[in-house]
Amino acid sequence: MEEDTNSGSVTGRKLFILWLVFFCYLLLGGLIFNVLEKQNEDEQREIARLVKQSFLNNYTCIDSEALEELIDSLLVIQSNGVDPRGNATSPSKWDFTSSLFFSGTVVTTIGYGTITPASRSGQQFCICYALIGIPLCGFVLAALGERIKNRSLKFKEHCQKRFKKADVFYMAMICISGFFIFFLIPSVVFSYFEGWSYHISFYYTFITLSTIGFGDYVAGSNSDKNYNVFYRIAIYVWILFGLVYFILLLAHVSDLLSSAGKKVKRKTLSIRGVKQKHKKNENRQPTRQTNEEISDVEEMSLQQINESNLKTEAEINNSESDVEVKSEKLPEQEYDAEMEMVI
């Protein structure tokens, strides 16, 4: 009973090893990103410096301090969710479709960050909206994922009737079909409508469906393009079903890992049982040997006792026979002595 309870809980040693692996993984990621991105950042800084220098050379009436102030003010405007390019007639980022898309990124916890509430009332409402919307979205996605999972289990039962390795075929079909439906095909669509390369489109699909949501690339957010309303709605539907697919995939992976863990646990328990039986047999063999030795000694002692008893009985018999012979000789000797006296 103690082994079962201890095996189900995480010991301090296991927790320390997990934290150590996690920390080493973070260190590895930091080192690789540092190597890959630091050089690109330095190149972009140099490009920005050259652009500002060429601007100052072309417009000598503007000094470097005025240019830096202009850039700072434009960056502040951009951080408030307004594109500093264009003029007041530029399309708003807070129209109804954009606001609807923003509310979807809030409740799904993607949070691109391209548009954020800048007003105090908008920030307060975003907090209340997220507190209710995130659990509600999680409940809806979990229910939809459970519905799809039950349908997929029927497909799994059908595969078990036809294939020997049904689990492998079932997981392969889920991974391949989901990869095509939620990654490859949407990447082609985004590459066409957004003008991105296929690499950037695939990068965007993964960052979005994994809810990382950096916000460096966001479909339907380019102010220079007039997007159709149905296109933005299709993006949000893709996000919802893509998140459901991720939940379904993680559920199946967790089931496989749990079943594999149970198999490993059974094997370890069987190996422990075999070892314990082997140790018990080894402990029993010396006792058997000692018992056999004791029985041999007892048999030897009994044989010696029997032999000594036989010897004593033989000696007693011999002594009795000698006494009888002597007793027979004494009357004869007395008779001869009397006859001699008569003569």
Side-chain angles (χ1 to χ4, degrees):
M1 295 295 291
E2 293 179 356
E3 292 181 355
D4 295 336
T5 55
N6 291 329
S7 62
S9 61
V10 179
T11 60
R13 184 178 179 183
K14 291 181 180 179
L15 184 61
F16 175 75
I17 292 172
L18 288 174
W19 273 106
L20 183 62
V21 171
F22 179 69
F23 184 70
C24 291
Y25 190 75
L26 291 178
L27 291 177
L28 179 63
L31 179 63
I32 294 175
F33 284 121
N34 184 19
V35 172
L36 295 176
E37 297 296 330
K38 186 65 169 64
Q39 184 178 0
N40 184 36
E41 182 187 12
D42 294 336
E43 292 176 356
Q44 294 299 323
R45 287 180 183 274
E46 183 64 21
I47 292 172
R49 188 187 67 81
L50 293 175
V51 169
K52 289 189 291 184
Q53 188 64 38
S54 64
F55 181 81
L56 292 173
N57 292 331
N58 293 326
Y59 301 94
T60 57
C61 60
I62 301 174
D63 57 358
S64 60
E65 293 181 358
L67 179 61
E68 293 295 334
E69 291 179 359
L70 176 63
I71 294 173
D72 291 337
S73 60
L74 292 176
L75 290 175
V76 171
I77 293 171
Q78 187 177 12
S79 64
N80 291 326
V82 178
D83 191 355
R85 297 172 297 178
N87 49 31
T89 60
S90 299
S92 174
K93 283 192 173 182
W94 287 103
D95 56 2
F96 179 73
T97 56
S98 298
S99 301
L100 180 63
F101 187 77
F102 170 76
S103 63
T105 59
V106 169
V107 297
T108 55
T109 68
I110 295 174
Y112 288 119
T114 52
I115 56 173
T116 55
S119 63
R120 186 174 181 179
S121 58
Q123 292 172 352
Q124 292 175 353
F125 177 74
C126 182
I127 295 172
C128 299
Y129 187 77
L131 287 175
I132 300 173
I134 292 173
L136 179 62
C137 180
F139 179 76
V140 172
L141 293 179
L144 184 59
E146 187 68 23
R147 179 86 173 178
I148 297 174
K149 183 180 178 181
N150 293 330
R151 297 290 181 89
S152 64
L153 289 176
K154 293 181 180 179
F155 175 72
K156 184 178 180 180
E157 293 176 356
H158 182 70
C159 293
Q160 288 176 349
K161 296 178 181 179
R162 290 193 173 187
F163 302 99
K164 293 181 179 179
K165 295 182 179 180
D167 295 334
V168 177
F169 179 78
Y170 174 70
M171 285 301 299
M173 288 298 296
I174 288 178
C175 294
I176 294 172
S177 61
F179 186 72
F180 272 94
I181 295 171
F182 296 104
F183 289 97
L184 294 182
I185 297 175
S187 297
V188 175
V189 175
F190 293 139
S191 179
Y192 176 75
F193 283 97
E194 301 293 335
W196 298 336
S197 64
Y198 188 78
H199 165 73
I200 293 175
S201 299
F202 187 81
Y203 167 79
Y204 166 74
T205 56
F206 179 80
I207 294 300
T208 299
L209 295 184
S210 60
T211 67
I212 297 174
F214 289 127
D216 48 355
Y217 295 98
V218 179
S221 63
N222 192 352
S223 59
D224 295 333
K225 294 184 178 182
N226 294 322
Y227 296 102
N228 192 352
V229 177
F230 296 102
Y231 175 70
R232 289 189 171 183
I233 294 173
I235 293 173
Y236 192 67
V237 172
W238 164 73
I239 291 174
L240 288 178
F241 281 93
L243 293 176
V244 172
Y245 168 74
F246 256 84
I247 293 172
L248 178 64
L249 185 63
L250 291 175
H252 285 297
V253 170
S254 63
D255 292 338
L256 288 176
L257 291 176
S258 62
S259 62
K262 289 179 181 179
K263 290 180 181 178
V264 172
K265 186 177 180 181
R266 289 174 185 173
K267 288 182 179 179
T268 53
L269 291 175
S270 62
I271 291 170
R272 287 180 183 177
V274 171
K275 288 182 178 179
Q276 290 177 357
K277 288 181 181 179
H278 185 67
K279 288 181 180 179
K280 288 180 180 180
N281 292 327
E282 288 180 352
N283 294 325
R284 287 177 182 176
Q285 286 179 358
T287 56
R288 290 179 180 176
Q289 291 178 356
T290 53
N291 292 327
E292 290 177 355
E293 290 177 355
I294 292 169
S295 62
D296 292 336
V297 171
E298 289 178 353
E299 289 179 357
M300 293 292 291
S301 61
L302 289 173
Q303 289 178 359
Q304 290 177 358
I305 292 168
N306 291 327
E307 289 178 356
S308 62
N309 290 328
L310 291 173
K311 287 180 181 180
T312 52
E313 288 179 357
E315 291 176 355
I316 292 168
N317 291 327
N318 291 329
S319 62
E320 288 178 352
S321 62
D322 293 336
V323 171
E324 288 178 355
V325 170
K326 289 180 180 180
S327 62
E328 287 177 357
K329 288 182 178 180
L330 286 173
E332 290 180 354
Q333 291 177 355
E334 290 177 355
Y335 178 75
D336 294 335
E338 289 177 358
M339 287 300 295
E340 288 178 356
M341 291 293 292
V342 172
I343 295 170

